[in-house]
Amino acid sequence: MPGQKIETGHQDVVHDVAMDYYGICEFYFLGSSRAWPLSCMWILGWEHLGLHGKSRWWMGQITNRPGSPIGVTSVSWAPSTAPGALVGSGLLDPVQKLASGGCDNTVKVWKFDNGTWRMDCFPALSMHTDWVRDVAWAPNLGLPKSTIASASQDGKVIIWTAVKEGDRWDGKVLKDFGAPVWRVSWSLTGNILAVADGKNNVTLWKEAVDGEWQQVTTVEP
């Protein structure tokens, strides 16, 4: 099957895309743009219109307000399960959230509510002092809290946690790596974090019983 080009409306570099896993009739993609006015993010959906109907692409827009006037660099979807749940939260009424990182040095959490995307954390999460290069929302199957990792040009990785819906997100510095951190990625169980930094290192981290993060190993090439 040949590839398909999608006109998203972006006018500059698309830094990131992410596919959701809510298991409902649409497959969502999100792109983040560097220089779109007001730094918009776009949602693309693939919708199946019945057994014999035609499928179609649809597109919606998330405007980063109050947001990053100089760009969005990364996006990450929230899990489809509620914190602590051992099964999905339901295919018919999932809670749809995502995190975004931007050139304004902040992390923002967004929620789809009553047909509209709105920011779900006030104020924005702001412990970084330079561009946020990557965000990663951890799987939370059986885990009692929601967790987001953010990586920044300032060399720090910050772990953001919220115990339940509506709670304030608390941030804790995992480590200052002394060089820009480019990527963070969670294990499928959500308890081990991989970090790629500007010193050509990939390290694995795990939270100890006392809440401190400890390096498990360095990944050798």
Side-chain angles (χ1 to χ4, degrees), residues 18-20 24 26-30 43-45 58 77 96:
M19 186 174 183
D20 90 345
I24 52 181
E26 298 88 9
F27 294 96
Y28 299 92
F29 296 83
L30 189 144
I43 294 286
L44 297 173
W58 58 268
W77 289 98
Q96 298 181 28

Side-chain angles (χ1 to χ4, degrees), residues 1-7 18-20 22-30 42-51 53-60 77 96:
M1 180 178 177
Q4 182 177 359
K5 181 179 179 181
I6 305 166
E7 296 296 338
M19 186 174 183
D20 90 345
Y22 295 117
I24 52 181
C25 293
E26 298 88 9
F27 294 96
Y28 299 92
F29 296 83
L30 189 144
W42 292 86
I43 294 286
L44 297 173
W46 180 252
E47 184 176 14
H48 300 283
L49 304 178
L51 182 61
K54 294 182 178 180
S55 298
R56 65 182 178 89
W57 284 101
W58 58 268
M59 183 165 60
W77 289 98
Q96 298 181 28

Side-chain angles (χ1 to χ4, degrees), residues 52-72:
H52 302 292
K54 294 182 178 180
S55 298
R56 65 182 178 89
W57 284 101
W58 58 268
M59 183 165 60
Q61 178 179 315
I62 304 174
T63 302
N64 204 350
R65 301 172 186 251
S68 170
I70 53 175
V72 178

